[in-house]
Amino acid sequence: MSAADAFYVTTPIYYVNDSPHIGHAYSTLACDAMARFARLDGKRVRFLTGTDEHGQKVEKAARDAGMDPQAFTDQVSQRFHELAQVMRFTNDDFIRTTEERHKKAVQTLWRELVRRDQIYLGTYAGWYSVRDEAFYAESELVDGVAPSGAPVEWVEEPSYFFRLSAWQEALLRFYRERPDFILPPARRNEVVRFVEGGLQDLSVSRTSFSWGIPVPDDPAHVIYVWLDALTNYVSALGHPDVQTDAYRAFWPAAVHVVGKDILRFHAVYWPAFLLAAGLEPPRRIFAHGWWTIEGQKMSKSLGNAIDPVGLIEQYGLDQIRYFLLREVPFGNDGDFSRAAMVTRMNRDLANDYGNLVQRVLSMVQRNCAARVPEPGPLEADDRALLDAAESLLPRVRSEMAVQALSRALETTFEVIGAANRYVDARAPWALRKTDAARMATVLYVLIETIRRLAIITQAFLPDASARILDQLAVPEDARSFARFGETGALVPGTPLPSPAGVFPRHVESVGRMQVESRQAGDAG
Ligand code: ME8
């Protein structure tokens, strides 16, 4: 398998200072959809997530909880594991920065940077934000706080520095040569402007606390948590052993998906560390936007952080996955509101996709003896729908190549809309009485369209798509993109199981949501 067939997708590794919320679920979900899509597309895939467990912020959270930091991180990291299970994330690995494999990689990278004279000892005197785990210049502060709104404190301590200032030109050249290294493009411009503004050497060790990876040969220092954390992307592939199968297959074929809040660390510091150590930078950094909750910033103090587990119990997993991936263009900010979510899941999933599948399969069940119908000659509008379904895969693939998740779904739902209009226009329930052969053709065209739709939506709506493919009696080994374009995939005469609704409709009733399973209305 060639390097072009490898796809390595990573989430940020999350701080274990707090339990996971919908924002964390969102980043990992996006990666999960990309990983599923790439696997369906026959790529060799590695999908990594994990937890970032060192640093002052986590040490403080452990102290506040009255716990030893290791016991505390064990406990909170487990919550992220559980979330991955509940959300049915298909990550291949879960890295924790307190693992030995990771510590070894970080210390080796450090030694390599020292060997190449990229690190020197000095004294840091400046502002630090524990919440952001970031150093700020006086000029960056806004009304005495970090640009993120986080409080800062004055820090003065011996520190090792990384010669970041020496990498300004190399980074600018790298961004020029790789115009799609940072997506979306507006974020790229932001990073380029920042680097053009000049880079200061970066403090990469701390001495005022001890919860971190010790600096080799100078244990009074712990390695700065961002140098530690970023290394997870290669430590999980076996670094420092760059001859492992995983490293050779997947580095640098990486797409790092991050929130816009941590773009600078990924798009400036990380490639600089790697270039300075003689390693290749990753292929892409994609920065997604920020979710607010009913118009407000999600925060501990407002107590409005949404627990994805409760949401799934209430609305269903595929429904949540769909809303998050479809509601905002990937890269933009979005507002999470229950009203918007219910509208989306009812309109797109229950009324459009669910109703299409339900009414078509019910008609096949009732009027074609519960078997795949035998099509007759195709007319122009039959071909038009089949062509739209067939060209969907290349269209969705090109959206996915730039991580345009919501556009991928939008494109898919255009075909769902076209299929619903075709049902209405061809009215197979009326043909039943006037032209049964034509009805069979129309229903065949429809189930073939649904087969293709469901193969694609497996990446986004895994559970519902599997149930639709089950109802079409598509064997497990015929569900990949390699089988998408197959003509005659649905064999006339094949018995089909009784259809059952896949997307229940949510109705609001006196202050509380209830779920009602609605059967299709106009199937005859
Ligand atoms: O920054 N909307 O970890 P973190 C969208 N450990 N995404 C959100 C979000 C929101 N409201 N809130 C959080 C760290 N996220 C570091 C990363 S990587 C080497 C180290 C997501 O726990 C988003 O992806 O603060 C954001 O970048 C990430 O969680 C921050 O997680």
Side-chain angles (χ1 to χ4, degrees):
M1 202 171 272
S2 75
D5 292 322
F7 180 69
Y8 180 34
V9 62
T10 67
T11 75
I13 49 170
Y14 306 107
Y15 288 127
V16 288
N17 63 310
D18 203 0
S19 300
H21 59 59
I22 198 78
H24 308 116
Y26 179 59
S27 307
T28 314
L29 168 63
C31 296
D32 184 63
M34 295 174 203
R36 285 176 187 266
F37 191 89
R39 282 190 207 103
L40 286 163
D41 216 2
K43 298 218 166 111
R44 182 169 174 196
V45 174
R46 182 85 149 206
F47 166 20
L48 175 70
T49 187
T51 43
D52 186 356
E53 307 191 0
H54 290 129
Q56 213 173 345
K57 165 156 142 168
V58 171
E59 189 187 67
K60 181 176 176 307
R63 199 169 46 237
D64 291 349
M67 288 177 77
D68 157 70
Q70 186 64 60
F72 178 75
T73 58
D74 287 348
Q75 189 181 74
V76 184
S77 180
Q78 186 54 33
R79 305 279 310 267
F80 283 88
H81 256 294
E82 285 160 10
L83 177 69
Q85 274 156 17
V86 174
M87 301 255 335
R88 297 194 41 217
F89 292 147
T90 55
N91 53 295
D92 301 290
D93 194 359
F94 187 104
I95 191 149
R96 299 183 55 191
T97 55
T98 49
E99 287 175 78
E100 277 314 313
R101 59 171 173 162
H102 176 74
K103 291 184 193 167
K104 186 170 116 194
V106 173
Q107 289 187 324
T108 307
L109 182 67
W110 179 281
R111 284 186 200 277
E112 186 58 20
L113 291 171
V114 170
R115 197 181 71 77
R116 291 169 176 253
D117 190 30
Q118 297 294 329
I119 284 181
Y120 62 92
L121 185 61
T123 302
Y124 178 77
W127 298 102
Y128 191 78
S129 159
V130 176
R131 199 170 91 191
D132 296 350
E133 295 284 18
F135 301 93
Y136 289 107
E138 180 81 39
S139 59
E140 286 181 286
L141 301 187
V142 183
D143 299 328
V145 294
S148 61
V152 290
E153 59 192 46
W154 184 258
V155 169
E156 222 169 302
E157 60 186 5
S159 174
Y160 286 93
F161 285 83
F162 168 67
R163 297 189 193 281
L164 182 63
S165 59
W167 289 94
Q168 179 179 1
E169 278 316 311
L171 283 170
L172 289 171
R173 197 174 334 115
F174 177 70
Y175 302 144
R176 268 196 305 277
E177 285 166 5
R178 301 265 298 275
D180 59 358
F181 171 61
I182 302 165
L183 285 182
R187 297 274 168 226
R188 172 183 188 272
N189 299 340
E190 225 171 74
V191 169
V192 170
R193 274 198 304 277
F194 170 74
V195 175
E196 281 171 349
L199 296 172
Q200 307 283 315
D201 286 352
L202 179 71
S203 173
V204 285
S205 76
R206 304 287 316 273
T207 41
S208 48
F209 65 93
S210 60
W211 181 240
I213 301 176
V215 165
D217 309 320
D218 194 352
H221 293 249
V222 292
I223 295 175
Y224 175 41
V225 66
W226 273 100
L227 175 52
D228 166 346
L230 288 161
T231 306
N232 90 88
Y233 301 128
V234 289
S235 61
L237 296 179
H239 176 88
D241 183 354
V242 295
Q243 296 306 326
T244 61
D245 285 349
Y247 194 93
R248 289 158 60 114
F250 295 112
W251 196 261
V255 176
H256 298 320
V257 172
V258 300
K260 63 179 185 181
D261 54 319
I262 56 173
L263 176 60
R264 188 181 296 182
F265 300 96
H266 284 82
V268 182
Y269 304 163
W270 180 225
F273 294 150
L274 289 165
L275 289 169
L279 296 170
E280 277 190 81
R283 193 165 287 163
R284 174 160 305 154
I285 313 291
F286 190 102
H288 68 65
W290 209 244
W291 284 95
T292 49
I293 303 296
E294 312 278 351
Q296 283 189 310
K297 197 172 169 190
M298 207 181 331
S299 84
K300 221 174 175 177
S301 49
L302 288 172
N304 62 351
I306 291 198
D307 172 11
V309 178
L311 215 55
I312 291 163
E313 278 167 11
Q314 195 172 0
Y315 298 101
L317 177 57
D318 279 351
Q319 282 77 357
I320 304 301
R321 290 177 63 110
Y322 179 75
F323 173 75
L324 292 173
L325 295 176
R326 173 65 183 84
E327 186 67 4
V328 291
F330 197 52
N332 291 12
D333 293 336
D335 185 49
F336 185 94
S337 90
R338 286 181 192 251
M341 193 171 67
V342 170
T343 304
R344 265 271 167 232
M345 57 182 65
N346 281 347
R347 195 180 58 199
D348 299 4
L349 296 180
N351 294 2
D352 292 349
Y353 197 11
N355 194 35
L356 171 71
V357 174
Q358 178 76 17
R359 62 181 175 160
V360 168
L361 290 179
S362 312
M363 283 187 275
V364 170
Q365 189 76 193
R366 260 174 268 161
N367 305 325
C368 306
R371 287 171 189 276
V372 173
E374 176 81 48
L378 297 183
E379 296 182 4
D381 60 347
D382 307 335
R383 284 214 191 81
L385 183 61
L386 289 173
D387 288 350
E390 189 175 338
S391 63
L392 189 57
L393 180 57
R395 290 172 70 204
V396 171
R397 197 183 265 135
S398 65
E399 300 295 4
M400 295 300 282
V402 288
Q403 289 76 45
L405 295 161
S406 76
R407 281 211 304 272
L409 281 168
E410 214 178 311
T411 308
T412 307
F413 275 71
E414 277 167 24
V415 177
I416 291 173
N420 271 318
R421 286 191 298 278
Y422 171 92
V423 180
D424 295 338
R426 293 297 120 229
W429 53 89
L431 288 170
R432 185 167 64 99
K433 295 174 205 122
T434 55
D435 187 347
R438 178 72 192 135
M439 175 200 72
T441 305
V442 166
L443 291 176
Y444 183 87
V445 166
L446 282 163
I447 58 171
E448 174 55 14
T449 302
I450 293 170
R451 180 187 72 88
R452 293 186 187 205
L453 286 164
I455 285 181
I456 290 184
T457 57
Q458 288 177 102
F460 310 95
L461 304 164
D463 187 37
S465 308
R467 281 190 285 145
I468 295 169
L469 291 166
D470 288 346
Q471 295 184 34
L472 289 173
V474 175
E476 292 280 347
D477 64 0
R479 298 181 179 190
S480 72
F481 295 164
R483 308 290 294 271
F484 175 88
E486 206 169 57
T487 45
L490 294 173
V491 181
T494 307
L496 298 177
S498 325
V502 278
F503 296 113
R505 189 181 163 77
H506 291 259
V507 287
E508 199 152 8
S509 75
V510 266
R512 138 187 129 74
M513 297 292 175
Q514 78 185 28
V515 181
E516 161 195 88
S517 206
R518 200 185 70 142
Q519 294 301 307
D522 51 353

